[in-house]
Amino acid sequence: QVKLVESGGGSVQAGGSLRLLCATSGYNYKNAMGWFRQAPGKVREGVAAIDSSGRTVAADSVKGRFTISQDDAKNTLYLQMNNLKPEDTAMYYCAARTIGRVDSVYLLADWAYNYWGQGTQVTVSS
């Protein structure tokens, strides 16, 4: 059974850093993995993603501040978040695509992913 478990969320002041982790199990190969977030009253948005070739993409709002990476040996996906802003406050979700390749232009589209974690809350105060 495929399982994604996020951790590392918390409360920080603006300018601070957090590192999110997503532990994966139940499958060996994934075509892409990504981080998404959803703030109260807002639609879920793609934050950063990485495909099977190691190519990464990031939303304009987080470029230069957030970095996605993965450790295949540990089956773990990471999101390093620096210089956090209050507008980064949201529930952060890890997602995986195991159903075939996807064009890189769609890596931040939530419909491209078929497995999701339960989320970890990130709160940034000003």
Side-chain angles (χ1 to χ4, degrees), residues 35-69:
W35 287 100
F36 292 77
R37 66 186 181 187
Q38 187 168 21
K42 294 189 176 182
V43 299
R44 184 166 56 189
E45 62 173 346
V47 175
I50 183 167
D51 69 11
S52 58
S53 68
R55 176 186 301 182
T56 62
V57 296
D60 288 342
S61 59
V62 305
K63 281 180 180 177
R65 301 189 297 123
F66 291 10
T67 302
I68 188 171
S69 62

Side-chain angles (χ1 to χ4, degrees), residues 39-100:
K42 294 189 176 182
V43 299
R44 184 166 56 189
E45 62 173 346
V47 175
I50 183 167
D51 69 11
S52 58
S53 68
R55 176 186 301 182
T56 62
V57 296
D60 288 342
S61 59
V62 305
K63 281 180 180 177
R65 301 189 297 123
F66 291 10
T67 302
I68 188 171
S69 62
Q70 62 185 4
D71 186 330
D72 290 336
K74 296 182 178 180
N75 290 322
T76 302
L77 181 74
Y78 303 96
L79 184 67
Q80 179 66 44
M81 305 186 296
N82 299 326
N83 190 22
L84 282 160
K85 303 176 180 180
E87 51 263 43
D88 295 318
T89 295
M91 184 71 79
Y92 283 71
Y93 299 91
C94 169
R97 177 181 174 90
T98 63
I99 52 175

